[in-house]
């Protein structure tokens, strides 16, 4: 290892693309770049000329060419640093938002915008696929073990079925169906998109393939991201033919090839190499030499989904670690040695739920089927629960109701009492995945003359006062949603623990009733008001890595393991992941705890009455 070696980690998110350069010798991030991303407009032409276009409920799409433009921006930002310091790029890895459906034709051209993880337009197809797949998995794949193969609308399979049913002409052109990280990796290894002009409309861009033999290109994916499609076997490293045939007989041929964690997906293409590094040769000289054999071959790791990469980036590689990610969606996950469908226990700590200040003895709003049976990026398992309504909802409230930045809103919200004067915010602006309520909507409930006075009434200070209340109210609603998700995860662990004991397995290591610590990552983790609220409501100690972009860092770690030839788990175990000195602990004030209990109970009652049917 030389003093100049770096690896590049890329995270293709919903709201932005992030890229970091990680220095292998110093084990530090030496440069970073980002580019914003926006969803495509969600309107459709009206049926008559006299009616305006209207939004399509549940639709959330993003054209993949936006990711290519973001790559250009990030590469152009990092290139001067790499060349100025004479860094040697020796590996590259990609993390991407999970579940998104990217359809390509035989010429590797995008057929339609990607339907993202937060797109719930395929709710009907999700139910159809879940019913069909549950029968198939129970009686033909898992040897008579009765399972509920829950496939939410956010997963890839229902989106594929939706496209086949609703866009037959486009469906006829499909050659490949892949995930966002698969597409970005494909672009980097083949040179797709190198010719995009960042100043032009990316939706009308047609990438050149003149330099490619498109018939020989085979996209790749990893077990982690593939496990979010609905097609991957829960215990084997392969697709389930009986599931892919629910789309059509030869559909498995449309899916990327699955690689193992330490495999190389490809090498950085000459075209993208030139954009990032200039015309590099084996002697690290930037010459006008286009001979491929003279170029440094920079391996691209297999990549993975953003949650799996986030687990790598905060060293969640040991059983018993729990991570809460506060991004556009909110996720809670931990590593397991066994499949959710095996008789072995999950490994998340079975903390005492009754220690949670807002614990409710009533049943969860959703069922254990909401626990996603994901694989991680090391070859093991990553049981995960996801809520769709997280920082994206808080940002929406801030933008449309508060008209200020987070810092100002936090100052105002600090003076608002727990429970927000009896107001309750239901955060399901785009439907919800946990609980499985794709058609749910947001709501502000509990308005009274008294709390309307608290919000400012007709006084000149009303705007700022209202903003503080609304901001905290939305944050409380999201926090209660996350608390329900955590309870569901822990309840599932306890049920499996009991099952294991009944089967005479030794599970003494899971009898710990101490309140666990949770590692919190993602953009929302920097919000001081939210930090304390989460600790109070969840009833746990919270730890915070100093690097919030854990998915991009995880992608860099994966690239580093591949570049150095070290086993993935061993490589990551050797990397430092510093955490902040301060641990956020739950309050012990009985009044505050009681107020949270009342506020959460209102939230649960309103949610159940409005959407549980």
């Amino acid at each position: 290892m030389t003093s100049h070696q770096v690896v590049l980690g890329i995270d293709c998110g919903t709201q932005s693309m992030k890229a970091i350069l990680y220095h292998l010798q110093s084990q530090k991030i030496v440069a970073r770049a980002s580019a914003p991303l926006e969803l495509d407009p969600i309107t459709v032409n009206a049926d008559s000329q006299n009616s305006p276009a209207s939004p399509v409920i549940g639709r959330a799409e993003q054209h993949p060419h936006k990711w290519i433009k973001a790559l250009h921006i990030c590469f152009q930002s990092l290139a001067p640093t790499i060349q100025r310091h004479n860094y040697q790029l020796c590996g590259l890895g990609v993390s991407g938002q999970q579940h998104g459906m990217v359809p390509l034709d035989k010429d590797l051209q995008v057929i339609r915008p990607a339907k993202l993880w937060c797109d719930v337009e395929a709710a009907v197809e999700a139910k159809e696929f879940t019913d069909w797949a549950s029968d198939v998995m129970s009686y033909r794949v898992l040897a008579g073990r009765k399972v509920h193969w829950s496939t939410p609308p956010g997963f890839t399979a229902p989106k594929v079925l939706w496209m086949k049913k609703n866009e037959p002409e486009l469906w006829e052109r499909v050659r490949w169906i892949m995930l966002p990280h698969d597409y970005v990796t494909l672009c980097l290894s083949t040179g797709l998109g190198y010719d995009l002009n960042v100043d032009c409309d990316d939706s009308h861009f047609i990438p050149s393939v003149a330099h490619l033999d498109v018939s020989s290109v085979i996209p790749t994916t990893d077990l982690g991201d593939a496990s979010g499609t609905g097609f991957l076997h829960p215990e084997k490293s392969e697709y389930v033919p009986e599931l892919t045939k629910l789309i059509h007989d030869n559909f498995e041929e449309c899916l990327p090839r699955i690689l193992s964690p330490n495999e190389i997906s490809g090498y950085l293409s000459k075209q993208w190499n030139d954009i990032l590094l200039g015309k590099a040769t084996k002697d690290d000289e930037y010459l006008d030499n286009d001979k491929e054999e003279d170029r440094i071959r920079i391996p691209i790791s297999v990549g993975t989904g953003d949650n799996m990469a986030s687990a790598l980036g905060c060293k969640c590689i040991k059983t018993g670690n729990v991570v809460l990610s506060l991004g556009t969606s909110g996720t809670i996950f931990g590593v397991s040695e066994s499949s959710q469908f095996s008789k072995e226990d999950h490994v998340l700590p079975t903390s005492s739920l009754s220690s949670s200040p807002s614990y409710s003895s009533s049943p969860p709003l959703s069922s254990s089927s909401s626990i996603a049976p994901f694989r991680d990026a090391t070859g093991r398992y990553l049981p995960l629960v996801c809520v769709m309504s997280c920082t994206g909802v808080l940002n929406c409230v801030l933008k449309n109701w508060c008209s200020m930045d987070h810092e100002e809103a936090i100052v105002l919200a600090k003076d608002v009492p727990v429970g927000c004067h009896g107001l309750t915010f239901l955060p399901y602006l785009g439907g919800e995945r946990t609980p499985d309520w794709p058609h749910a909507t947001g709501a502000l409930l509990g308005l009274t003359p008294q709390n309307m006075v608290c919000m400012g009434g007709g006084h000149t200070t009303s705007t700022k006062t209202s903003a503080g209340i609304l901001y905290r109210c939305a944050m409380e609603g999201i926090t209660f949603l996350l608390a329900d998700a955590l309870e569901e995860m822990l309840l599932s662990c306890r049920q499996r623990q009991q099952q294991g004991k009944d089967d005479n397995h030794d599970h003494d290591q899971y009898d710990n009733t101490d309140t666990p610590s949770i590692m919190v990552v993602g953009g929302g983790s920097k919000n001081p008001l939210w930090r304390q609220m989460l600790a109070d409501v969840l009833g746990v100690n919270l730890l915070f890595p100093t690097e919030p972009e854990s998915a991009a860092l995880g992608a860099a770690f994966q690239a580093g393991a591949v570049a150095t030839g070290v086993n993935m788990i061993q490589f990551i175990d050797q990397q430092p992941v510093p955490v902040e000195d301060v641990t956020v602990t739950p309050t012990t004030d009985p009044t505050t705890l009681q107020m949270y209990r009342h506020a959460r109970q209102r939230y649960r009652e309103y949610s159940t009455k409005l959407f549980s049917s």
Side-chain angles (χ1 to χ4, degrees), residues 502-560:
D502 293 342
D503 292 338
N504 296 319
H505 289 287
D506 181 9
H507 290 279
D508 290 342
Q509 71 184 98
Y510 307 120
D511 287 337
N512 177 24
T513 56
D514 294 336
T515 302
S517 294
I518 293 181
M519 190 84 76
V520 187
V521 299
S525 67
K526 293 301 181 183
N527 188 313
L529 177 65
W530 206 357
R531 287 183 171 195
Q532 189 60 58
M533 184 184 296
L534 284 164
D536 294 344
V537 173
L538 301 181
V540 297
N541 296 330
L542 302 181
L543 307 175
F544 299 88
T546 56
E547 175 54 53
E549 300 299 344
S550 55
L553 182 58
F557 284 172
Q558 187 189 64

Side-chain angles (χ1 to χ4, degrees), residues 65 103-112 173 192 205-209:
H65 291 168
L104 303 187
D105 65 15
K106 61 181 178 61
D107 294 319
L108 304 181
Q109 302 297 331
V110 175
I111 297 172
R112 69 175 320 282
R173 295 172 51 197
L192 271 178
F205 168 64
I206 301 178
S208 173
V209 292

Side-chain angles (χ1 to χ4, degrees), residues 19-176:
I20 62 170
L21 279 179
Y22 184 75
H23 193 275
L24 290 176
Q25 188 176 57
S26 67
Q27 298 181 319
K28 293 181 179 179
I29 296 173
V30 293
R32 65 179 72 231
S34 65
L37 293 168
E38 295 182 352
L39 297 183
D40 294 348
I42 55 171
T43 57
V44 66
N45 292 331
D47 293 334
S48 69
Q49 294 182 349
N50 297 325
S51 300
S54 58
V56 180
I57 303 301
R59 180 174 293 180
E61 297 180 350
Q62 199 168 59
H63 203 291
H65 291 168
K66 291 183 177 180
W67 310 334
I68 294 179
K69 177 182 285 189
L71 271 179
H72 277 273
I73 294 172
C74 289
F75 276 28
Q76 290 169 9
S77 176
L78 292 173
T81 300
I82 293 174
Q83 297 178 29
R84 182 170 61 252
H85 293 279
N86 198 28
Y87 286 139
Q88 179 188 348
L89 184 64
C90 60
L92 187 154
V94 179
S95 156
Q97 49 182 297
Q98 285 190 258
H99 309 308
M101 179 192 71
V102 184
L104 303 187
D105 65 15
K106 61 181 178 61
D107 294 319
L108 304 181
Q109 302 297 331
V110 175
I111 297 172
R112 69 175 320 282
K115 295 185 82 66
L116 302 187
W117 62 271
C118 47
D119 185 306
V120 294
E121 192 174 6
V124 172
E125 289 75 18
K127 186 178 186 308
E128 290 179 11
F129 191 88
T130 294
D131 291 343
W132 299 341
S134 295
D135 288 341
V136 165
M137 294 300 292
S138 295
Y139 300 111
R140 296 171 59 186
V141 179
L142 296 178
R145 279 182 277 164
K146 181 66 175 176
V147 299
H148 180 67
W149 191 256
S150 178
T151 316
F155 274 39
T156 317
K159 304 178 195 304
V160 175
L161 190 57
W162 180 93
M163 182 181 179
K164 180 182 178 183
K165 290 169 58 176
N166 292 277
E167 299 175 339
E169 292 183 0
L170 295 180
W171 177 255
E172 288 298 319
R173 295 172 51 197
V174 169
R175 172 61 185 90
W176 298 106

Side-chain angles (χ1 to χ4, degrees), residues 370-381:
S370 295
I371 309 298
F374 290 157
R375 300 293 295 269
D376 77 344
T378 70
R380 296 178 295 174
Y381 299 87

